[in-house]
Amino acid sequence: MFNLILFGPPGSGKGTQSEKLIAKYNLKHLSTGDLLRSEISRKTALGLEAKKFMDKGQLVPDEVVIGMISSALDANPGAVGFLFDGFPRTAAQAEALDKLLELKNNSINVMLALDVTEEELVKRLVKRGETSGRTDDNNGNVIRTRIIEYHKKTSPVADHYRKANKVVLVKGEGSVDDIFKGLTKEIDARMKKS
Ligand code: B4P
């Protein structure tokens, strides 16, 4: 199996690049943002609870997202590998993911971290907010909260994988295709070895 974490702040292009990566490598895409938005649109109890946090730009409690990922891993026993998009977002989520993969005799091969300036992030999210209907994109305060949450709670996740020498920083600004090329170069180099 080849397991990849696509990492970066809100608006860094994780969702955009994941679509292209899963098409090329046939990995199973696990986006906690997409899973949560699907729960919200189906008005499930989990979705209604998650919405309270997402609308404020806060992270959803760890036990909720860890439970979702655990079920998704169990539901895909034959996957050639997983692309984790937007997960893990806290140190506790990273530890839980390592344990879940270990139970399957697996681990994370690499974390690719998209490098984008804060100015560009805000510009992208405001632009998406004009058309997406996403309640967390159309309010400047909520966007700022998401970036603060990232610095406080999510950036330590990179330290967790850095200790295991698994983090690679990839340029996240420029055209979508050029960024994709930068990501595939790193994946190809590691897939050969694994
Ligand atoms: P997510 O759904 O993960 O979304 P995101 O961080 O906002 O965006 P992403 O980086 O995927 O950006 P995208 O490609 O879409 O999270 C939403 C919320 O869910 C969180 O705030 C949190 O509340 C909750 N949540 C999710 N996972 C969680 C977890 N594990 N734990 C707790 N809570 C969790 O790109 C953004 C925009 O930029 C798009 O409009 C795109 O078109 C544009 N763009 C992309 N690449 C570009 C490029 N190269 N140039 C110009 N624009 C570009």
Side-chain angles (χ1 to χ4, degrees), residues 8-18 31-34 36-37 50 53-55 57-62 65 68-69 85-90 93 114 120-121 124-125 127-129 134 136-137 146 172-177 179:
S12 54
K14 301 181 296 287
T16 305
Q17 294 295 332
S18 290
S31 156
T32 38
D34 287 352
L36 290 166
R37 281 184 290 276
F53 295 91
M54 291 169 79
D55 281 352
Q58 295 169 351
L59 293 180
V60 173
D62 285 336
V65 280
M68 279 187 340
I69 288 288
D85 161 9
F87 180 92
R89 249 176 162 103
T90 63
Q93 291 179 23
L114 290 166
E120 172 73 10
L121 295 176
R124 288 183 190 177
L125 293 174
K127 190 167 169 228
R128 182 169 66 183
R134 266 179 63 167
D136 57 346
D137 280 344
R146 285 160 68 193
E173 288 189 42
S175 77
V176 169
D177 284 342
I179 297 164

Side-chain angles (χ1 to χ4, degrees), residues 24-117:
K24 180 170 167 77
Y25 296 105
N26 209 16
L27 299 171
K28 177 72 192 164
H29 184 199
L30 295 185
S31 156
T32 38
D34 287 352
L35 290 168
L36 290 166
R37 281 184 290 276
S38 155
E39 297 279 346
I40 292 173
S41 68
R42 286 182 285 122
K43 295 193 166 63
T44 63
L46 190 157
L48 294 175
E49 182 60 21
K51 190 174 184 327
K52 291 184 208 158
F53 295 91
M54 291 169 79
D55 281 352
K56 286 189 250 168
Q58 295 169 351
L59 293 180
V60 173
D62 285 336
E63 57 276 18
V64 174
V65 280
I66 292 168
M68 279 187 340
I69 288 288
S70 174
S71 311
L73 289 175
D74 288 342
N76 290 281
V80 297
F82 292 95
L83 190 170
F84 297 95
D85 161 9
F87 180 92
R89 249 176 162 103
T90 63
Q93 291 179 23
E95 277 162 31
L97 177 61
D98 287 351
K99 283 194 190 121
L100 287 169
L101 289 174
E102 212 175 291
L103 287 174
K104 298 180 189 301
N105 289 323
N106 257 291
S107 61
I108 291 297
N109 294 71
V110 67
M111 168 187 270
L112 298 178
L114 290 166
D115 189 19
V116 181
T117 61

